[in-house]
Amino acid sequence: MPLDEPSWWYRHDETAVATSLRPFAALYGSLTARRMARAGTAVDAAVLCVGNLTAGGSGKTPFVRWLATEIADLTGRAIAPVILSRGYGGALRGPVPVDPHKHTASAVGDEPLMLSETLPVFVARDRLAGARAIAAAGTRDQRTAIIMDDGLQNPSVRKDLRIALIDRYRGLGNGLVVPAGPLRARLATQLPHIDMVVWTGQKPAETDAAAAEPPMQLSAFRGPMIQTWTEPVPVRPDLRERPVILFTGIANPKRVAQTARNLGLTIASHRTFADHHPFTERDAIALLSEARTTDAALLTTEKDAARLKGQSGALAELLSASSVLRIQLRIAAEDRETLRALLTETLGHR
């Protein structure tokens, strides 16, 4: 059964459901506030954390990948960026370096496996143990910068730079804490622990001023805010000549569908699954059968394709038969310089 975030989370008014959940939200927010107030343990490497103020997807994966490349470029590869992930959806507790030729998504998680195709990645349920393992694996000739993929609310590791990503169109919703709203803790709790806000998503049109302006809820934030957006990598021309069956198991499937349409693709059907869904033989057989019956092409995301790698039978056939929708991050020159200045300051202090 397809799952998506409750729509009322991202409305700006408060529903009756949200009101009834306020006591649970107060408890959840209080527990998170206590955790965030704890001092983290320093490790022998710079630690840059990229996370969310809210539950649900905000485009962390493309930003983390871009940030790692930016650090290497900025420092002339004098500093080696290494990504630290909890490995959500994977069985290995770690710390363990991810090997894309050896591991599967069921072992290390889909996002770490996808990132490991081009970048060094460690997974560890215990983030402090993972950060220490990365620092210990470094060399004398090259400093290490750890990029934590998620973990803004996790206090175990002391962070040198804390970046919060916010989806431009969903924003902060009704401003309430889980489960009454999308926030992981009250904004007043989280903002003092944030150094930079990055707006993500597709680039707003010039006429869409509302999407480009930060919400009033963030008026208390005094740090830099920058804008990024994602663009799809052009697809093969023949994909525009056939209907497409899109299948996704991610946090924001509607964004993927709109991206596909922006590329001129005709979506015959969109099969949505829960975020990080482990595809089964039954899923694969159904999708392959529908594609054959309707003479449609199969299309999925990079993260979904990662969960199909290393499989056999119908799952391997599904991966082979599917085209992958890839995206790339873009940033305006002025915002890029703002970020590079902050990176220079952060890495220089280490």
Side-chain angles (χ1 to χ4, degrees):
M1 178 178 174
L3 297 176
D4 200 355
E5 69 220 1
S7 60
W8 50 267
W9 267 9
Y10 290 99
R11 288 172 53 179
H12 295 289
D13 57 340
E14 184 174 342
T15 66
V17 175
T19 300
S20 67
L21 293 172
R22 270 182 173 269
F24 302 100
L27 175 61
Y28 186 95
S30 175
L31 293 174
T32 304
R34 290 182 188 179
R35 295 178 71 230
M36 296 185 75
R38 285 159 43 194
T41 301
V43 297
D44 191 21
V47 177
L48 295 76
C49 183
V50 179
N52 304 324
L53 299 176
T54 61
S58 62
K60 285 197 312 299
T61 303
F63 182 82
V64 164
R65 180 162 52 189
W66 178 87
L67 182 63
T69 304
E70 193 73 1
I71 290 172
D73 176 71
L74 177 65
T75 63
R77 304 195 178 278
I79 296 179
V82 181
I83 297 167
L84 172 60
S85 171
R86 186 180 178 277
Y88 184 85
L92 295 180
R93 298 191 63 84
V96 60
V98 179
D99 183 343
H101 304 293
K102 169 186 172 184
H103 291 123
T104 62
S106 62
V108 297
D110 48 19
E111 291 169 353
L113 185 63
M114 182 181 75
L115 290 168
S116 71
E117 294 286 349
T118 55
L119 296 164
V121 181
F122 273 64
V123 295
R125 300 287 176 84
D126 183 331
R127 287 188 172 92
L128 178 56
R132 284 172 168 166
I134 292 173
T139 66
R140 294 181 179 179
D141 300 328
Q142 196 175 39
R143 293 164 56 200
T144 300
I146 299 171
I147 302 178
M148 287 181 61
D149 186 350
D150 209 1
L152 281 178
Q153 294 78 19
N154 185 298
S156 59
V157 182
R158 194 187 77 183
K159 307 169 183 74
D160 298 288
L161 181 62
R162 302 157 299 181
I163 302 174
L165 271 54
I166 303 176
D167 182 279
R168 177 179 292 108
Y169 288 95
R170 291 188 299 171
L172 301 173
N174 59 15
L176 300 179
V177 176
V178 172
L183 290 174
R184 295 189 178 189
R186 292 174 60 245
L187 274 182
T189 296
Q190 297 195 77
L191 291 184
H193 299 277
I194 303 301
D195 300 304
M196 170 179 272
V197 167
V198 178
W199 298 94
T200 65
Q202 296 176 345
K203 188 176 184 179
E206 293 182 4
T207 56
D208 193 357
E213 289 296 322
M216 288 298 295
Q217 295 159 302
L218 281 176
S219 59
F221 182 68
R222 294 292 176 259
M225 295 188 194
I226 64 172
Q227 303 257 356
T228 68
W229 64 94
T230 53
E231 292 179 352
V233 176
V235 296
R236 302 191 321 267
D238 62 284
L239 278 179
R240 298 191 184 92
E241 300 170 3
R242 302 169 61 191
V244 167
I245 297 171
L246 177 64
F247 64 97
T248 56
I250 62 172
N252 195 347
K254 293 179 182 178
R255 181 195 295 168
V256 179
Q258 187 57 54
T259 298
R261 293 189 185 97
N262 291 345
L263 284 168
L265 303 182
T266 300
I267 301 177
S269 64
H270 184 182
R271 305 303 180 192
T272 59
F273 301 86
D275 194 16
H276 303 284
H277 173 72
F279 291 108
T280 65
E281 284 282 306
R282 184 177 179 180
D283 296 331
I285 290 170
L287 287 164
L288 289 165
S289 176
E290 182 180 358
R292 282 191 288 265
T293 301
T294 60
D295 191 29
L298 289 160
L299 181 70
T300 193
T301 69
E302 285 186 89
K303 193 168 81 167
D304 292 300
R307 293 199 299 281
L308 295 172
K309 289 181 179 178
Q311 305 297 328
S312 58
L315 290 168
E317 184 181 352
L318 178 62
L319 177 61
S320 177
S322 300
S323 296
V324 178
L325 183 61
R326 305 181 188 278
I327 59 173
Q328 52 197 347
L329 186 134
R330 299 298 189 204
I331 184 171
E334 181 179 350
D335 283 343
R336 184 186 182 198
E337 288 307 311
T338 298
L339 177 57
R340 286 171 73 94
L342 193 55
L343 289 175
T344 298
E345 179 183 1
T346 301
L347 298 174
H349 285 169
R350 298 292 304 197

